[in-house]
Amino acid sequence: MSPITSGRPAKPATILDVAAAAGVSRQTVTRAMNGMPGIKESTRERVQELARELGYTPSRFAKGLVQGSRTSVGLAIPDLTNPYFPAFASSVVELATRRGWQIVVDDYGHGGRSGLDAVDHLAPHVDAVIGYLGGYADQAQAALGRRPLIVLDEIPGGAAGSINFDYNQAAKLAVDHLRHTNRVRIAYLDACESRHPGLTPENQDPMVPSRVGGSGLCTVRGKAVADRLDQIRTPWSLITAEETAGAARVAAGALFQDRPETDGVLVFNDLMAAGVLKAAADAGLRVPEDCAVVGMDGIPLGELLTPELSTLALDLREVGRAAVELLDGLLAGAIAPGSDAARLTLEHRLVLRESA
Amino acid sequence: MSPITSGRPAKPATILDVAAAAGVSRQTVTRAMNGMPGIKESTRERVQELARELGYTPSRFAKGLVQGSRTSVGLAIPDLTNPYFPAFASSVVELATRRGWQIVVDDYGHGGRSGLDAVDHLAPHVDAVIGYLGGYADQAQAALGRRPLIVLDEIPGGAAGSINFDYNQAAKLAVDHLRHTNRVRIAYLDACESRHPGLTPENQDPMVPSRVGGSGLCTVRGKAVADRLDQIRTPWSLITAEETAGAARVAAGALFQDRPETDGVLVFNDLMAAGVLKAAADAGLRVPEDCAVVGMDGIPLGELLTPELSTLALDLREVGRAAVELLDGLLAGAIAPGSDAARLTLEHRLVLRESA
DNA sequence: GTTAGCTTCGTGAACGTTCACGTTCGTAGA
DNA sequence: TCTACGAACGTGAACGTTCACGAAGCTAAC
């Protein structure tokens, strides 16, 4: 008679049921279950055995209520399907687990949900949130009240903490490398309908250069790339696609057809760059001889592609570590919410493999 | 004075603090916060405003205690770095969220932790667990007591539910395809030190065929492949590697050097298959002309490789759906724990792209 | 003026656990 | 015999909510 097949599924057993069955008090059961001293060993064993038989599981709610909050952290992720995010999440989960925190995860990439929806869903169950929210920092922090929110890759707004990336530095690295290798017809493939931080109307640049179909520049990454390209007076074109490899492949295919003179492509992220590599192969272009391709993110996937992808790489484990340590400081009171110490900026480095 | 920068971080405000500040009772605050009827609209607004100012957040413990358990599901994952698992997790998270469940995730791939460690870590905080445990079904179910455990790709043991894959069918599909395309020197690359279900000593086959370095066959997938290869009397060799693309690349490199006659390679999973593709390119082999490569899993990555990877594909969203629906039935009492209805078997299909 | 009924709000109890004490019992030392 | 003390175990209170009631107060109908 296993504990699984026996019981009435009705009411779960409480500590009182175990106490009654063992003929002892609540407190003795507590002592037995939690390895506390002041209990005879034979009693402890008897109680534990009985608890097992009754299928007793201590209520996490009662326990939390009396012992004070264990730390539970929400993790809001736009899309687990993009390898960037699991790599980041993996690091966060590892370090959080090491601290004894639990991670409650929400992938809001389905069903038209937003980063704010994710935070709303997580809020009742967590003491803090870390997440790529795509532009809801203020509202999300409001939903969390005093509990710290750490936003990544987004204007911090009212968020307690933030981790950002220096896209100007990154864009300079990539653009200058393309120019130094004599690429003169450069294209930038931006993500559209992006969950990534948008440009606000006031800092959106109406003077974007010529483009090949699609809508305008819509990400801060794109803005940084555009700025750098303009700065060094290089002619360039803009294309956009949804943030998937497939969409990027189609868009880049059109680019290579419309503008065969293109000899360098900068791409919003590595996943889309993989699509561009495919499109180049489709078009019979040799990479990097005919056209260089540079991605962004530094996901492990890049090394497996053919040719291996050159990219503006982030150390994703480092990003996760920064987020967790920042949250740690915030929770411990060592870092003041919204202070400069709570605003981190990380840099990309240019990893040259085969594609550029 | 934002709510973030003001408060003493000492004691979080309770419902009584808000009630006192508003000059009303607990219950009125409850009504205001939870959108319940029977409260004047002006009172509701005043209370909500006050709650916001005080940084009041309802205690999830007190709430859970009185309202009964909201469903919180643990998700134990061996390695978020392998694209297989995020794809699966994404599906689970989506469907769980749709049901209003939360997902508490643990990636136990770091620091020498096991699937059992993951369950132990999750157990105090969840009502059920879904996971790839790598052989701890019995102990994990014991740790969970009456709460359902759903194990994937593992001998169910005492677990309430399980989802398995018909590797014999899958192996037949792949092996027969290789034979039909006249591959006569086939190699199988197995994962060693795997977190995947091991062969027990009694069903481990001591008569494995010749091998190229490494240890013996150690996964049920490998067993199925070996059985099918033996069944159709095809000479074959076995190699093993750690479950990463890099290790697979090295191992396959050695294979192509030692046994250049190899004209077909079956690989434990797609990630390792990506490494094999790299090794083939390193060795100057054309795929599939000189050597065919077939992976296993059907992760999206496969389509981005060059050549595109042929694979024994699982519909990973379907796997996630099966797990969530099975758990749903278990929690609702519609499916009996440990019953046949709680043991699902899914099948692979052979997706032929370019590599075979 | 009485009654009924609605709206608005308050109070005891309960959820299941742990904490901080108490109590009981037995044993050893004087 | 009395006292002291430790081991083993028990009891009231508290954690912060919501639920099920009950109590006001006001309005409207007769």
Side-chain angles (χ1 to χ4, degrees), chain A residues 10-30:
Chain A
K11 299 278 174 192
T14 78
I15 200 173
L16 290 178
D17 298 325
V18 179
V24 298
S25 73
R26 295 173 321 212
Q27 185 60 17
T28 298
V29 177
T30 293

Side-chain angles (χ1 to χ4, degrees), chain B residues 46-291:
Chain B
R46 190 164 48 91
V47 169
Q48 285 180 339
E49 169 63 17
L50 245 20
R52 218 181 47 74
E53 273 180 26
L54 293 175
Y56 166 65
T57 302
S59 155
R60 63 173 180 276
F61 299 117
K63 214 160 187 164
L65 189 56
V66 64
Q67 288 184 327
S69 164
R70 336 200 133 274
T71 308
S72 144
V73 178
L75 186 60
I77 296 284
D79 181 14
L80 276 173
T81 278
N82 178 339
Y84 176 88
F85 294 108
F88 164 71
S90 165
S91 168
V92 170
V93 169
E94 175 187 3
L95 296 169
T97 301
R98 191 176 298 173
R99 269 158 239 251
W101 301 348
Q102 308 110 244
I103 293 289
V104 185
V105 69
D106 191 359
D107 171 355
Y108 62 86
H110 311 280
R113 300 172 68 232
S114 75
L116 188 54
D117 292 326
V119 172
D120 284 338
H121 177 236
L122 292 169
H125 312 287
V126 300
D127 304 307
V129 169
I130 296 175
Y132 284 82
L133 260 38
Y136 292 93
D138 278 321
Q139 299 166 67
Q141 180 67 71
L144 287 171
R146 272 188 181 35
R147 293 168 291 173
L149 165 67
I150 295 185
V151 295
L152 291 105
D153 202 16
E154 176 173 341
I155 298 128
S162 70
I163 293 177
N164 276 93
F165 308 109
D166 184 346
Y167 289 120
N168 290 319
Q169 174 260 356
K172 183 170 176 346
L173 243 38
V175 169
D176 291 8
H177 175 261
L178 288 177
R179 283 299 289 116
H180 290 335
T181 51
N182 298 316
R183 310 293 172 172
V184 293
R185 297 290 171 179
I186 297 178
Y188 172 66
L189 171 53
D190 203 20
C192 67
E193 305 177 35
S194 172
R195 309 179 208 84
H196 288 261
L199 256 28
T200 56
E202 52 270 31
N203 72 356
Q204 194 149 19
D205 191 346
M207 303 301 287
V208 288
S210 62
R211 38 191 92 154
V212 178
S215 59
L217 210 47
C218 52
T219 67
V220 302
R221 302 187 192 188
K223 179 80 164 60
V225 171
D227 284 351
R228 183 62 191 167
L229 283 162
D230 289 342
Q231 198 175 333
I232 63 172
R233 304 189 195 292
T234 302
W236 64 286
S237 51
L238 170 70
I239 58 174
T240 65
E242 259 185 55
E243 198 178 333
T244 68
R249 184 176 188 169
V250 172
L255 170 75
F256 291 136
Q257 179 152 9
D258 294 350
R259 309 200 168 212
E261 75 276 14
T262 302
D263 58 5
V265 184
L266 252 167
V267 191
F268 179 78
N269 69 16
D270 283 354
L271 192 61
M272 297 176 71
V276 173
L277 251 28
K278 276 287 172 197
D282 295 341
L285 261 41
R286 293 167 305 160
V287 175
E289 294 82 353
D290 299 327
C291 181

Side-chain angles (χ1 to χ4, degrees), chain A residues 33 42 60 93 96 121 123 146 178 197 200 225 236 252 294 310 333:
Chain A
M33 301 299 291
S42 63
R60 64 173 179 277
V93 168
H121 177 236
R146 273 186 181 34
L178 288 177
T200 56
V225 170
W236 65 286
V294 177
S310 296

Side-chain angles (χ1 to χ4, degrees), chain A residues 245-269:
Chain A
R249 184 176 188 169
V250 172
L255 170 74
F256 291 136
Q257 179 151 9
D258 294 350
R259 310 199 168 213
E261 73 277 15
T262 302
D263 58 5
V265 184
L266 252 166
V267 192
F268 179 79
N269 68 16

Side-chain angles (χ1 to χ4, degrees), chain A residues 48-72:
Chain A
Q48 285 179 339
E49 168 63 17
L50 245 20
R52 219 180 45 73
E53 274 180 27
L54 293 175
Y56 166 65
T57 301
S59 155
R60 64 173 179 277
F61 299 117
K63 215 161 186 162
L65 188 55
V66 64
Q67 288 185 327
S69 167
R70 338 200 131 274
T71 310
S72 144

Side-chain angles (χ1 to χ4, degrees), chain A residues 224-275:
Chain A
V225 170
D227 285 350
R228 184 61 191 168
L229 283 162
D230 289 343
Q231 198 175 335
I232 64 173
R233 305 189 195 292
T234 303
W236 65 286
S237 51
L238 169 71
I239 56 174
T240 64
E242 258 184 59
E243 199 178 333
T244 67
R249 184 176 188 169
V250 172
L255 170 74
F256 291 136
Q257 179 151 9
D258 294 350
R259 310 199 168 213
E261 73 277 15
T262 302
D263 58 5
V265 184
L266 252 166
V267 192
F268 179 79
N269 68 16
D270 284 355
L271 192 62
M272 296 176 72

Side-chain angles (χ1 to χ4, degrees), chain A residues 76-153:
Chain A
I77 297 283
D79 181 15
L80 276 173
T81 277
N82 178 340
Y84 176 88
F85 294 108
F88 164 71
S90 165
S91 169
V92 170
V93 168
E94 175 187 4
L95 296 169
T97 301
R98 192 175 296 173
R99 270 158 237 252
W101 301 349
Q102 308 111 244
I103 293 289
V104 184
V105 68
D106 191 359
D107 171 356
Y108 62 87
H110 310 280
R113 300 171 68 234
S114 75
L116 187 54
D117 293 326
V119 172
D120 283 338
H121 177 236
L122 291 169
H125 312 288
V126 300
D127 304 307
V129 169
I130 296 174
Y132 284 82
L133 261 36
Y136 292 93
D138 278 322
Q139 300 166 67
Q141 181 66 71
L144 288 172
R146 273 186 181 34
R147 293 168 291 174
L149 166 68
I150 296 185
V151 295
L152 291 104
D153 201 16

